[in-house]
Amino acid sequence: MTDLYARHRRVLPDWLALYYDDPIEISHGEGRYVWDSAGRRYLDFFGGILTTLTAHALPEVTKAVSEQAARIIHSSTLYLNRPMVELAERVAQVSGIPDARVFFTTSGTEANDTALLLATTYRRSNTLLAMRNSYHGRSFSAIGITGNRAWSPTSLSPLQTLYVHGGVRTRGPFAHLDDRAFIDACVADLKDLLGHTRPPAALIAEPVQGVGGFTSPPDGLYAAFRQVLRDHGILWIADEVQTGWGRTGDHFWGWQAHARSGPPDIVTFAKGIGNGMSVGGVIARAEIMNCLDAQSISTFGGTQVTMAAALANLAYLLEHDLQGNARRVGGLLIERLRAVGAQLPGVREVRGRGLMIGVELVRPGTDEADPQALAAVLEAAREGGLLIGKGGGHDTSALRITPPLSLTVAEAEEGAALLEHALRSTY
């Protein structure tokens, strides 16, 4: 492992983040577990940053990949592609967007780039609204709309971005308000902001902020925003890269918590749909998707082998009601972690829905973020056999917990016990 780490450091960028003081190499996985190259088994509560949506080495997906790879792996979008058409039909059907068109990419970053291209072209404006504490990818344009300083290496951008209140419920100037008053204050802030600028092209928002530490507004905030946006002709882009496909349990899409306003104009997705394969995409009404007046292709977006994987994964997800499992098992896990957190002075909040759970850590007796404790808990959890993630904004430190949606009750209890031990060993 030491040799591989040294080789990594010699040829890869210094800014390419690695977890743990002694980084691990994951060699294989099965179900909700993975093994490192030394043979150590871990319960995976992060799923490759939410990419392993159903299970590691899911037989239905590995079979689909193997069979498709034996025929043809890739031909580009210059040729008809049956798996791509079939998956686009399924995605359009479950999207909730009328007359939907689907474009496939290789990542969530690329999906958000495409959504920005569509919105700015359709609206003929390079001004964007985004949420504070947000994250939308690592490309130049995606960084330009990211409201999280830790993931924003440059202030240069082709876009003018204006940041809106509301993505973080329990911090900021409106945190003391009840949910209704919080929404009203955020809407008033949005209206005031729009009074000072030319009409933006779109608002892009994660229904639950992922890298930001799994924070979210009260249900209904984006529906209230939508009424204001419509008055100005502004589009709504829902970034579902982390929240889509039933992960939040209560809904198939995160935007459905704000559904009284109807579906977004554009939805972006990635990560879990491919169950580890590189799949992203954009869903939009035909008039928006078709607004580009130049030709385009995607060399690797929608390859036959990734589409076959996503088709098998989506079918398994729906046929086995993994959204329902996320709601049931996730609900138990959240309550178990809240009971633990209530006993520890360093746990400020356990939040989330379904199998998308954040545990915010602070210095005991304060409201200040505690990145040192966060790192210590991450290390202690790994030592105990549990892999978890981390996130947060400029003033927060949060553990991120996102197991595959097939997690069992017994595995949830096992993971909760391991995390409790890691937290108690730190505080």
Side-chain angles (χ1 to χ4, degrees):
M1 190 66 63
T2 302
D3 177 60
L4 183 60
Y5 183 32
R7 291 164 59 192
H8 172 104
R9 295 193 64 180
R10 278 197 297 270
V11 296
L12 295 172
D14 290 347
W15 43 260
L16 193 62
L18 282 170
Y19 274 0
Y20 310 121
D21 293 336
D22 183 15
I24 63 174
E25 176 193 5
I26 294 176
S27 63
H28 63 285
E30 182 178 349
R32 276 69 55 194
Y33 294 89
V34 295
W35 285 257
D36 68 19
S37 54
R40 177 81 186 277
R41 190 183 80 157
Y42 303 90
L43 179 58
D44 187 2
F45 262 34
F46 201 34
I49 318 179
L50 295 87
T51 55
T52 307
L53 185 69
T54 49
H56 289 283
L58 186 71
E60 288 81 354
V61 171
T62 55
K63 180 174 183 286
V65 169
S66 177
E67 290 179 350
Q68 181 59 57
R71 293 191 294 270
I72 188 168
I73 293 174
H74 168 260
S75 66
S76 91
T77 54
L78 290 170
Y79 307 95
L80 286 173
N81 178 332
R82 189 174 299 274
M84 183 168 66
V85 172
E86 291 175 351
L87 182 59
E89 289 171 339
R90 294 295 303 273
V91 171
Q93 181 184 24
V94 300
S95 72
I97 295 177
D99 195 21
R101 298 293 187 274
V102 183
F103 176 74
F104 291 106
T105 67
T106 60
S107 69
T109 292
E110 189 187 348
N112 285 331
D113 264 348
T114 303
L116 296 175
L117 172 64
L118 292 172
T120 54
T121 302
Y122 183 79
R123 291 275 296 137
R124 301 185 65 81
S125 169
N126 75 331
T127 302
L128 267 293
L129 299 172
M131 306 303 295
R132 299 179 186 189
N133 197 51
S134 60
Y135 175 81
H136 299 287
R138 53 155 299 277
S139 68
F140 188 48
S141 65
I143 287 169
I145 57 166
T146 286
N148 187 315
R149 171 65 186 86
W151 294 88
S152 222
T154 179
S155 61
L156 299 175
S157 175
L159 304 166
Q160 179 187 30
T161 306
L162 307 172
Y163 293 100
V164 182
H165 283 295
V168 182
R169 176 65 185 91
T170 62
R171 286 184 179 268
F174 306 143
H176 64 286
L177 302 174
D178 64 30
D179 284 354
R180 183 66 260 169
F182 181 94
I183 291 174
D184 289 344
C186 292
V187 169
D189 174 69
L190 174 62
K191 288 179 177 178
D192 181 70
L193 181 63
L194 293 176
H196 295 282
T197 185
R198 297 182 64 82
L203 165 72
I204 184 167
E206 307 155 272
V208 178
Q209 294 183 329
V211 168
F214 294 168
T215 63
S216 61
D219 288 355
L221 174 73
Y222 294 118
F225 276 4
R226 187 74 184 283
Q227 300 306 312
V228 178
L229 300 178
R230 279 176 170 160
D231 291 343
H232 294 266
I234 300 168
L235 303 178
W236 174 26
I237 304 169
D239 179 344
E240 297 274 357
V241 170
Q242 297 195 32
T243 51
W245 317 109
R247 176 162 288 284
T248 63
D250 292 334
H251 304 101
F252 193 73
W253 301 103
W255 65 258
Q256 289 172 317
H258 311 269
R260 73 171 185 267
S261 63
D265 300 290
I266 303 174
V267 169
T268 61
F269 62 85
K271 291 193 182 291
I273 183 60
N275 206 44
M277 298 296 282
S278 184
V279 182
V282 184
I283 318 164
R285 299 196 316 271
E287 64 176 303
I288 298 173
M289 185 68 81
N290 295 333
C291 75
L292 304 182
D293 61 1
Q295 296 184 76
S296 190
I297 63 167
S298 180
T299 303
F300 290 109
T303 65
Q304 282 90 338
V305 71
T306 60
M307 297 294 93
L311 272 167
N313 196 45
L314 181 57
Y316 185 92
L317 171 82
L318 295 172
E319 290 166 8
H320 292 80
D321 188 26
L322 294 194
Q323 177 187 336
N325 192 65
R327 182 178 62 252
R328 292 185 295 272
V329 179
L332 293 172
L333 181 56
I334 289 172
E335 290 309 309
R336 174 81 162 79
L337 293 177
R338 281 177 175 157
V340 172
Q343 304 172 39
L344 297 172
V347 177
R348 178 177 183 268
E349 182 182 23
V350 177
R351 56 181 174 250
R353 56 204 316 165
L355 287 172
M356 192 172 189
I357 305 168
V359 180
E360 186 176 338
L361 305 183
V362 293
R363 293 185 174 89
T366 76
D367 226 16
E368 300 173 7
D370 195 346
Q372 290 77 27
L374 188 76
V377 173
L378 210 71
E379 291 284 354
R382 183 204 59 79
E383 184 61 31
L386 179 70
L387 303 185
I388 52 178
K390 62 179 179 178
H394 77 283
D395 59 355
T396 56
S397 300
L399 305 170
R400 294 201 289 161
I401 298 165
T402 54
L405 302 194
S406 56
L407 187 75
T408 67
V409 171
E411 290 163 347
E413 286 290 343
E414 178 188 354
L418 291 170
L419 183 55
E420 179 179 4
H421 182 269
L423 286 165
R424 291 189 183 279
S425 70
T426 302
Y427 288 105

